[in-house]
């Protein structure tokens, strides 16, 4: 189990804008996706939200090339915070490294892997879906966006050597030629873009070391803010509940690994936010214990063991601390309450 992936509202706007260009109003699209309009006020969306949005957009537009077209419109206006950093990078390869480092500012619903070769290098995309399987349009949009954004950073159109997808072809080949202008393969081992090393390592026209440092610090601060405060508490709480429900006793080291940060960094962020891992774990155990005790379908000893208490007496003491009574007394009270 990992912490739930989320996406920035910039990426949400990319989907909404692509649908609007084809005559689908955002209110109608949100309704078809089963998402309340109030959700647009959030800072980020759960990954399953935007998957529903992609599915609804493909259905309402009836366009097999919807994802490709959405990705082709991605440019500096789409992700202003990271666009400035990429433009100031010395080379396209280093700009891609910055994307890998700060990708969560856009979305952590996937990750990029660079695989260097003698003449060319692959940029492989590994999607990280939620409980819903990704729409194939999401994958096509990501690779189309990579090529479009790379062209903006470079100041010249970028022509990959090869583009390939792990999924079947969705639409006519003409749509893929318009997006990539290179051979495109389907049902391959991975999805990715193959770029010549000469393109990746050529100097960029707006390279600026000072601007790169300034924008890098800004991106790092924004990234740190995503993993702090209320959002960090919310993500950790959801992860702790899921781990406990799968009969796993979660640790701070495991949480740091799924957040892709060091345990020391997680400890510092939690301290800055006034959070305690043991406190959050205790709260998650309490929530699950009270619900299970009230349900009555499992023995109290089984409940304590599933929550990581090696001895019933330790579970009993924790339960009394939470409620002022024993698990058995709590269960009796729930039985008599109307």
């Amino acid at each position: 189990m990992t912490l739930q992936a989320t996406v920035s509202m910039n990426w949400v706007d990319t989907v909404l804008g692509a649908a609007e260009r084809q005559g689908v109003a955002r209110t109608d699209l949100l309704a078809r996706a089963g998402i309340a309009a109030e959700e647009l006020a959030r800072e980020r969306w759960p990954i399953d939200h935007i998957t529903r949005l992609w599915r609804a957009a493909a259905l309402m537009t009836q366009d097999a090339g919807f994802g490709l077209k959405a990705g082709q419109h991605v440019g500096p206006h789409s992700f202003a915070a990271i666009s400035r950093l990429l433009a100031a990078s010395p080379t396209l390869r280093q700009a891609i490294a910055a994307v890998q480092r700060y990708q969560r500012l856009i979305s952590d619903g996937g990750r990029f892997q660079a695989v260097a070769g003698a003449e060319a290098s692959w940029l492989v995309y590994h999607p990280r879906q939620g409980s819903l399987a990704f729409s194939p349009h999401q994958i096509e949009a990501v690779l189309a966006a990579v090529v479009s954004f790379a062209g903006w950073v470079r100041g010249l159109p970028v022509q990959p050597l090869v583009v390939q997808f792990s999924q079947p072809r969705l639409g006519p080949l003409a749509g893929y030629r318009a997006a990539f202008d290179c051979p495109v393969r389907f049902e391959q081992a991975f999805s990715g873009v193959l770029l010549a090393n000469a393109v990746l390592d050529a100097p960029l026209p707006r390279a600026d070391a000072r601007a790169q440092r300034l924008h890098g610090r800004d991106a790092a601060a924004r990234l740190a803010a995503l993993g702090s405060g209320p959002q960090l508490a919310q993500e950790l709480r959801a992860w702790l509940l899921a781990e406990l429900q799968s009969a796993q006793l979660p640790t701070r080291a495991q949480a740091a690994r799924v957040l892709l940060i060091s345990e020391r960094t997680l400890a510092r962020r939690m301290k800055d936010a006034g959070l305690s891992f043991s406190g959050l774990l205790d709260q998650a155990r309490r929530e699950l214990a009270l619900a299970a005790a009230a349900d009555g379908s499992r023995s109290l000893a089984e409940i304590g063991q599933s929550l990581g208490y090696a001895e019933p007496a330790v579970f009993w003491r924790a339960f009394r601390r939470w409620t002022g009574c024993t698990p058995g007394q709590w269960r009796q009270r729930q039985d008599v309450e109307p």
Side-chain angles (χ1 to χ4, degrees), residues 245-268:
Q245 286 174 307
S246 63
Q248 300 291 324
L249 184 60
T251 66
R252 192 174 67 182
Q254 290 171 332
R257 283 197 293 273
V258 298
L259 281 169
L260 303 179
I261 58 177
S262 69
E263 189 175 356
R264 180 178 295 180
T265 298
L266 176 59
R268 185 181 69 250

Side-chain angles (χ1 to χ4, degrees), residues 36-315:
E38 293 76 16
E39 293 289 280
L40 291 176
R42 296 177 62 160
E43 291 186 10
R44 294 176 72 87
W45 268 13
I47 195 67
D48 283 345
H49 266 35
I50 200 166
T51 294
R52 293 187 182 95
L53 197 69
W54 277 110
R55 291 179 176 183
L59 188 64
M60 294 184 75
T61 61
Q62 289 293 296
D63 183 1
F66 179 76
L68 292 174
K69 293 172 184 173
Q72 286 175 271
H73 275 85
V74 169
H77 59 282
S78 304
F79 310 109
I82 201 169
S83 296
R84 294 185 291 271
L85 171 61
L86 302 190
S89 299
T91 65
L92 184 56
R93 190 185 298 276
Q94 287 173 280
I96 289 172
V99 170
Q100 291 176 287
R101 183 173 183 180
Y102 299 114
Q103 186 180 341
R104 196 176 182 218
L105 294 177
I106 302 170
S107 168
D108 53 10
R111 66 179 179 87
F112 288 108
Q113 176 189 11
V115 182
E119 302 292 334
S121 301
W122 279 102
L123 184 61
V124 180
Y125 180 64
H126 300 281
R128 177 190 166 198
Q129 61 193 30
S131 58
L132 299 178
F134 266 16
S135 162
H137 291 277
Q138 289 172 271
I139 311 297
E140 294 198 346
V142 168
L143 295 196
V146 165
V147 174
S148 173
F149 212 95
W152 172 78
V153 169
R154 190 168 175 245
L156 293 169
V158 169
Q159 182 180 23
L161 299 177
V162 176
V163 170
Q164 67 179 41
F165 294 95
S166 59
Q167 62 201 31
R169 176 165 62 92
L170 296 181
L173 287 174
Y176 296 95
R177 284 195 295 268
F180 303 117
D181 193 23
C182 72
V184 181
R185 304 167 183 163
F186 303 93
E187 299 183 82
Q188 302 297 306
F190 59 84
S191 298
V193 178
L194 182 64
L195 296 169
N197 289 341
V199 171
L200 289 168
D201 297 323
L204 294 180
R206 287 166 287 188
D208 185 325
R210 181 175 178 276
Q212 184 189 26
R213 288 194 299 272
L214 290 173
H215 297 317
R217 285 199 291 267
D218 177 61
R222 290 171 182 264
L223 187 63
L226 288 181
S228 62
Q231 182 171 347
L232 179 61
Q234 184 180 7
E235 289 187 343
L236 284 172
R237 176 184 173 277
W239 177 73
L240 287 166
L241 288 170
E243 289 292 289
L244 288 168
Q245 286 174 307
S246 63
Q248 300 291 324
L249 184 60
T251 66
R252 192 174 67 182
Q254 290 171 332
R257 283 197 293 273
V258 298
L259 281 169
L260 303 179
I261 58 177
S262 69
E263 189 175 356
R264 180 178 295 180
T265 298
L266 176 59
R268 185 181 69 250
R269 291 183 184 177
M270 294 188 72
K271 181 180 179 181
D272 292 343
L275 301 173
S276 159
F277 187 84
S278 60
L280 290 173
L281 177 59
D282 189 64
Q283 291 171 19
R285 280 172 148 178
R286 178 185 184 278
E287 181 176 337
L288 293 175
L290 267 57
D295 177 59
S297 61
R298 299 161 63 193
S299 71
L300 298 174
E302 180 187 353
I303 294 170
Q305 188 175 25
S306 71
L307 294 176
Y309 293 98
E311 300 291 337
V314 180
F315 175 53

